[in-house]
Amino acid sequence: MVTAALPYANGPVHIGHLAGCYIPADIYVRYQRAQKRDIKFIGGSDEHGVPITIRAMKEGITPQQVVDKYHAIIKESFEQMNISFDIYSRTSNPVHHETASAFFKKLYDDGLFEEKETEQYYDEKAKTFLADRYIVGTCPVCGNPNAYGDQCENCGSSLSPEQLINPRSALSDATPVKRKTKHWYFPLKDYELWLKEWVLEGHKEWKNNVYGQCKSWLDTGLQSRAMTRDSNWGIKVPLPDAEGKVLYVWFDAPIGYISATKELTDQWADYWCKDDTKLVHFIGKDNIVFHCIIFPAMLKAHGNYVLPDNVPANEFLNIEGEKVSTSRNWAVWVHDYIKDFPGMQDVLRYVLCANAPETKDNDFTWKDFQDRNNSELVSIFGNFVNRVFVLMHKLCNGKVPPLHQDALDEKDAIIMREIENAKTKVESLLEQYKFREALFEIIDLSRKGNKYMQEKEPWIVAKSLEANPAAQKSIDNTLHICLQLTANLAILINPFLPDTAKKMSHMMKVVDKMLDWENAGKLTLLKTGYSLREPQLLFRKIEDAEITAQVEKLKAGLVKPATQEPAKADEKTKEQAEPKPAIQYDDFAKLDLKVGTIIAAGKVEKADKLLKLQVDMGFEKRTIVSGIAQHFKPEDIVGRQVVVVANLAPRKMRGIESNGMILMAEDNNGKLHFVSPDNKINPGAGVS
Ligand SMILES: [Zn+2]
C-alpha cells in the first residue's frame, strides 16, 4: 500500500510538490509493479480545513466551488505527468465522510478522547472562530506589522496570538475576542512511550531527516491535540452535542488513504488490515509529524489497521535559490510546464529526480534543467540509443545480429558484466528509496555503453571488411551487445521515464511484458535476426532562449506580497516613512528604555534568524532573544552597547525566555543597525 500526500485543494500543484513526493512515489510504484508485486497507489485531494473556507470567502464563492475547481486542476496535472495512481480520490466523497466519522466514533466509544472547554479567538464580524494563522498583528520581536498568530515570517520567531501587538482578524480586520468552545482532544501523551519504542527503536532505518524530526518531537514531549474544530466546512463531528463542529483536517485527511482504497476495491481490507501489508507513505517534510507520530498513534488507538513501514519524506525544493511561495507566485506550475514543454514530461521527471531534495533542501534552476537535459539525457542516454539503432541499420541490415561466442573479447565481457550488475545495484537502491542514486546508475550504464561503442568503433572495423571478412563477427558482437544493453536500459528507466521506455519498446518492436523487472540483467532480450524499427530521437536539445524565457516568466509572474506576508525592503521603507498617529507623553513614558552592554551572544538552535544575548543592564544581567542573526555574527557584537526596552513582558521563543527587546534601526536595504549611545557609558543608564 503506497500513499502520496493528499494535496490541498486550494491551489494548483507546482514542481516542488512533484519533487517532494509524487515523483518518488510514482517511481517506487512503477518499479514494484514491474516486480509484479501486489501494490495499490493511492492519492486524492484534501478538501477540508480553514484555508479553503477563507479562500471561498475572499473569492465570493462556496467552499465546494473552490475544491471542485482545484481538484480538477490537480488531477489533470498528475495525469499529465504520468503519476500512475490506482485511484485519485477526494475527501469530500461520501465514502470518506463515512469512514472518517466511523473512525472518530470508534475512538470516542472507546473513551479515548478528552473533552475540554477552552477559550478561543473569535471574529465577531465574520462570525467564526479563528485559527492562529488567521490572526495577524505586529511582531513583538522585529516589528513586522504582518506577523501571523503562530509565527513571524520576517524574523522566524514562533509566536502565539497573545504576543501580537494590535492583533486583528485576517478575514475582517475585526479585533479578535475570546469565546468558550468545547473540543475533543486526542491524548498523544498516552502514546509517547509506545511511539518512542516503535519509531526510535523500531525504525532506525528511516531516513535521517525523518528519524531526526521524530526524535526531536518525541524528546520535546507530546501534548494532547484537539481533533475537532469550529467550522461548517468539513466532516461533521458524529456526536449529538456537536453542532457547528467538524473533524480537524489532519484527523480526517490521512484516513482519506483508507477511504480511497475502499472506493477502489472491495478487497480494501487486504491492504489495510493484514499483517503482511507493507504500508509506505510518501510525503514532504512538512507532513512528517502527522504521518510518523499523530496518524500512527490514531491507527494504534483504533487497533484494526497496520502501521506504516516507512515514511520516506523529502525536504523542500527551492526555485532559483529562493523558497517557493505560492502567494508570491514564486513557483513553477505543472500546468504551465506542460504547456511550454509539450511531450517533455520525462525531462521534468528526470530533472526532479536527479535533483531531488532527498536528504536536504535542494535548488531547481532552469539552467540546471537545461544542462541535465542537454548533457545527460541528450548527449549520454539518448545519444547511445540513437547510435546503436543507426549503426544497426547501417551495418547489420536493421536486424539484431548474432552473438559469436568464439569472437568475444575482454571489452565485451566487461560490458556484459556491467549490464548484469546494473540490475542488482538499481534494485537495491530503489528498495532503499535512494531514487537519485538509482537514476545515476542507469545513466552511468548508458555512459559505459557509449564508451564501449567508442572503443570498439564498429564503423571503422566495417571499412576493413573487404580485406578481412572475419571482422564482421566483431561488428555483430558489438551491436548485439549494445542492443541488449538498450533493452536493459528500457527496463531500468521505465519506472523513472515511462514515456521514454515506451518509445524504446516501440523502436525495438517488443511488447510491454519485456519491461518486466525479471528481464533486467538478461543478455537475451532481443532475438537474433529480429528486425527493428528506425530510430526516433528520445530527447531534444533545449536552447538558451527557452531557458531565458522561463527565467523571465518566473520573475515577471512574481506578485507583490499579500498583506500577510512581510513587505520587501523598498516597500517597507515607504511604509515606515509614514509617521504614526500622535501619542501623548504619558504613552511614551510607559516605556522603560535603558542602555545595556552585550556580554555574550550565541546562535539559537533551529532558528536561523535568532540570537540569544546576555545583556548587562547594570542592576542585573538578562537573557534577550533578538531576530538579528542574519545581520550580525555573535562574536562581532560582544561588548556593544544597545538600547533595551527593559519593561517589555517576558516571552518564550524557541523555549528560551526573552526579557526585553533591543532597539534596531533598519536602513533602505533592509539592513539592521544598533541604536546606541555615541560614547561608552554605564550599563543601566536610562534613555528618555
Ligand atoms: Zn518578527
Side-chain angles (χ1 to χ4, degrees):
M1 169 58 40
V2 172
T3 71
L6 305 185
Y8 199 52
N10 75 337
V13 282
H14 54 71
I15 63 170
H17 294 125
L18 291 182
C21 71
Y22 303 103
I23 301 255
D26 191 59
I27 294 167
Y28 188 72
V29 168
R30 285 175 184 272
Y31 157 72
Q32 297 290 355
R33 285 191 194 122
Q35 285 274 27
K36 296 186 196 155
R37 291 176 181 148
D38 181 9
I39 190 159
K40 293 282 180 269
F41 183 19
I42 303 295
S45 302
D46 175 3
E47 305 193 329
H48 297 134
V50 188
I52 282 167
T53 60
I54 287 170
R55 179 172 276 258
M57 207 182 297
K58 282 187 175 161
E59 292 185 11
I61 54 178
T62 64
Q64 189 64 48
Q65 285 170 313
V66 172
V67 301
D68 285 349
K69 174 177 164 192
Y70 290 110
H71 171 73
I73 295 175
I74 294 168
K75 188 163 187 276
E76 195 187 8
S77 286
F78 285 146
E79 283 165 3
Q80 287 172 325
M81 286 305 296
N82 292 317
I83 306 297
S84 58
F85 291 116
D86 287 299
I87 183 169
Y88 188 78
S89 185
R90 49 197 305 194
T91 60
S92 59
N93 278 351
V95 59
H96 176 62
H97 277 244
E98 283 157 28
T99 309
S101 290
F103 198 116
F104 183 90
K105 193 70 182 2
K106 164 100 168 52
L107 301 196
Y108 178 84
D109 290 343
D110 291 348
L112 284 169
F113 289 118
E114 299 162 356
E115 272 182 39
K116 275 196 238 177
E117 197 169 56
T118 56
E119 291 206 309
Q120 305 249 317
Y121 282 104
Y122 186 80
D123 179 333
E124 288 176 317
K125 253 195 231 168
K127 296 198 170 43
T128 179
F129 281 93
L130 294 167
D132 292 354
R133 194 72 183 172
Y134 295 99
I135 301 174
V136 287
T138 301
C139 172
V141 181
C142 72
N144 163 26
N146 295 309
Y148 297 111
D150 56 353
Q151 197 194 22
C152 170
E153 296 213 330
N154 192 45
C155 72
S157 308
S158 290
L159 301 171
S160 68
E162 286 82 3
Q163 293 175 304
L164 293 176
I165 300 161
N166 298 326
R168 59 188 194 278
S169 162
L171 302 182
S172 68
D173 270 343
T175 306
V177 295
K178 286 212 163 174
R179 270 210 189 172
K180 279 199 170 148
T181 179
K182 182 170 80 175
H183 285 289
W184 288 267
Y185 287 69
F186 184 77
L188 270 178
K189 186 100 202 129
D190 297 353
Y191 296 83
E192 199 175 298
L193 273 181
W194 169 74
L195 280 164
K196 277 186 176 163
E197 200 178 294
W198 178 66
V199 181
L200 302 184
E201 296 304 318
H203 283 297
K204 292 188 189 228
E205 81 284 8
W206 284 5
K207 290 171 64 175
N208 286 340
N209 57 329
V210 177
Y211 187 90
Q213 216 189 97
C214 291
K215 185 166 186 325
S216 122
W217 277 88
L218 290 167
D219 287 350
T220 315
L222 301 175
Q223 312 281 328
S224 296
R225 274 209 180 212
M227 289 299 165
T228 53
R229 290 288 186 273
D230 292 287
S231 175
N232 289 314
W233 179 246
I235 296 170
K236 303 243 172 302
V237 173
L239 299 175
D241 53 345
E243 192 56 34
K245 298 190 193 286
V246 296
L247 301 185
Y248 172 41
V249 69
W250 271 113
F251 183 88
D252 100 61
I255 298 173
Y257 301 137
I258 302 173
S259 322
T261 317
K262 281 187 181 175
E263 204 182 324
L264 174 68
T265 166
D266 292 341
Q267 260 66 60
W268 68 272
D270 288 356
Y271 299 94
W272 281 99
C273 308
K274 285 197 178 164
D275 283 342
D276 64 353
T277 290
K278 176 171 172 180
L279 171 62
V280 182
H281 296 305
F282 283 87
I283 55 168
K285 73 168 162 188
D286 48 337
N287 290 345
I288 289 175
V289 65
F290 300 106
H291 285 78
C292 298
I293 292 185
I294 301 176
F295 188 46
M298 285 164 54
L299 292 170
K300 175 83 178 160
H302 189 286
N304 290 358
Y305 297 113
V306 295
L307 299 167
D309 180 81
N310 210 320
V311 186
N314 273 355
E315 300 285 292
F316 286 151
L317 185 72
N318 298 329
I319 306 288
E320 301 282 348
E322 276 188 59
K323 258 196 171 147
V324 169
S325 163
T326 52
S327 55
R328 289 169 60 224
N329 197 31
W330 188 259
V332 176
W333 302 102
V334 175
H335 57 270
D336 279 350
Y337 174 85
I338 304 277
K339 240 182 275 157
D340 294 348
F341 295 95
M344 291 173 69
Q345 284 85 340
D346 274 0
V347 178
L348 185 59
R349 287 177 67 109
Y350 178 80
V351 173
L352 294 180
C353 179
N355 194 18
E358 282 182 9
T359 53
K360 58 174 179 47
D361 286 1
N362 252 356
D363 199 23
F364 173 91
T365 66
W366 281 108
K367 185 79 187 73
D368 179 66
F369 169 83
Q370 180 191 27
D371 287 348
R372 288 194 183 272
N373 177 77
N374 293 358
S375 62
E376 292 168 17
L377 288 179
V378 175
S379 307
I380 300 175
F381 191 102
N383 180 44
F384 173 71
V385 174
N386 189 54
R387 275 172 96 189
V388 172
F389 269 72
V390 168
L391 286 171
M392 184 236 350
H393 280 279
K394 213 166 145 188
L395 306 176
C396 307
N397 306 316
K399 292 195 168 85
V400 180
L403 188 72
H404 309 277
Q405 292 291 343
D406 57 339
L408 288 174
D409 65 14
E410 184 56 21
K411 289 196 177 80
D412 301 328
I414 291 173
I415 192 77
M416 286 160 90
R417 266 203 306 279
E418 292 285 4
I419 297 172
E420 287 162 354
N421 290 343
K423 180 213 182 183
T424 323
K425 281 190 217 159
V426 172
E427 186 173 311
S428 143
L429 290 165
L430 285 173
E431 296 285 355
Q432 299 171 66
Y433 311 100
K434 293 181 176 168
F435 304 106
R436 295 177 66 170
E437 280 180 62
L439 184 57
F440 294 150
E441 281 297 336
I442 302 166
I443 296 301
D444 202 42
L445 181 62
S446 62
R447 187 182 283 120
K448 284 168 182 159
N450 272 322
K451 188 166 165 271
Y452 166 73
M453 172 94 85
Q454 201 60 39
E455 285 170 359
K456 301 282 289 190
E457 38 189 23
W459 58 93
I460 305 277
V461 178
K463 288 179 187 160
S464 67
L465 271 178
E466 247 173 68
N468 176 20
Q472 183 64 42
K473 282 190 177 179
S474 161
I475 297 173
D476 287 352
N477 279 358
T478 303
L479 282 160
H480 183 96
I481 292 169
C482 284
L483 284 165
Q484 303 295 356
L485 174 50
T486 301
N488 270 276
L489 285 174
I491 299 169
L492 298 176
I493 207 72
N494 184 36
F496 299 84
L497 311 180
D499 282 347
T500 303
K502 218 175 274 167
K503 276 189 208 166
M504 292 168 77
S505 299
H506 178 78
M507 282 156 59
M508 294 184 288
K509 285 210 279 189
V510 293
V511 290
D512 288 352
K513 254 186 77 60
M514 195 215 74
L515 298 177
D516 286 348
W517 199 261
E518 62 185 8
N519 290 327
K522 288 185 186 165
L523 295 159
T524 51
L525 296 173
L526 298 171
K527 296 258 178 315
T528 301
Y530 196 56
S531 66
L532 307 185
R533 290 200 168 93
E534 291 291 329
Q536 55 177 132
L537 285 183
L538 297 176
F539 308 102
R540 72 160 174 89
K541 200 168 167 242
I542 294 173
E543 302 298 335
D544 290 348
E546 295 175 81
I547 293 310
T548 316
Q550 287 300 326
V551 174
E552 273 165 14
K553 178 175 172 177
L554 183 66
K555 288 182 178 158
L558 195 60
V559 292
K560 242 180 68 177
T563 49
Q564 291 166 40
E565 285 209 312
K568 282 202 309 254
D570 53 342
E571 283 147 4
K572 208 188 246 168
T573 325
K574 268 182 244 147
E575 229 168 74
Q576 285 165 345
E578 294 264 304
K580 293 179 181 171
I583 58 165
Q584 299 304 313
Y585 177 78
D586 283 351
D587 289 324
F588 170 73
K590 286 178 193 162
L591 293 174
D592 184 10
L593 302 176
K594 281 191 167 32
V595 172
T597 307
I598 298 176
I599 49 176
K603 295 195 163 151
V604 175
E605 222 181 297
K606 285 189 207 146
D608 52 9
K609 293 185 177 162
L610 299 181
L611 287 186
K612 180 183 168 186
L613 310 173
Q614 287 296 320
V615 182
D616 181 1
M617 303 290 294
F619 59 103
E620 65 174 342
K621 294 185 176 53
R622 287 192 181 185
T623 299
I624 298 178
V625 179
S626 185
I628 56 173
Q630 298 195 327
H631 300 269
F632 301 97
K633 283 189 193 149
E635 60 269 28
D636 292 346
I637 58 170
V638 172
R640 297 249 3 182
Q641 287 207 308
V642 293
V643 175
V644 178
V645 184
N647 62 339
L648 195 66
R651 60 184 178 271
K652 268 202 167 173
M653 274 178 283
R654 302 275 160 167
I656 305 165
E657 188 174 279
S658 179
N659 285 283
M661 181 171 95
I662 292 179
L663 295 189
M664 306 296 298
E666 185 176 350
D667 67 22
N668 280 350
N669 299 319
K671 171 134 189 55
L672 298 182
H673 302 264
F674 286 106
V675 177
S676 51
D678 56 357
N679 288 306
K680 196 148 194 174
I681 60 172
N682 62 298
V687 178
S688 57

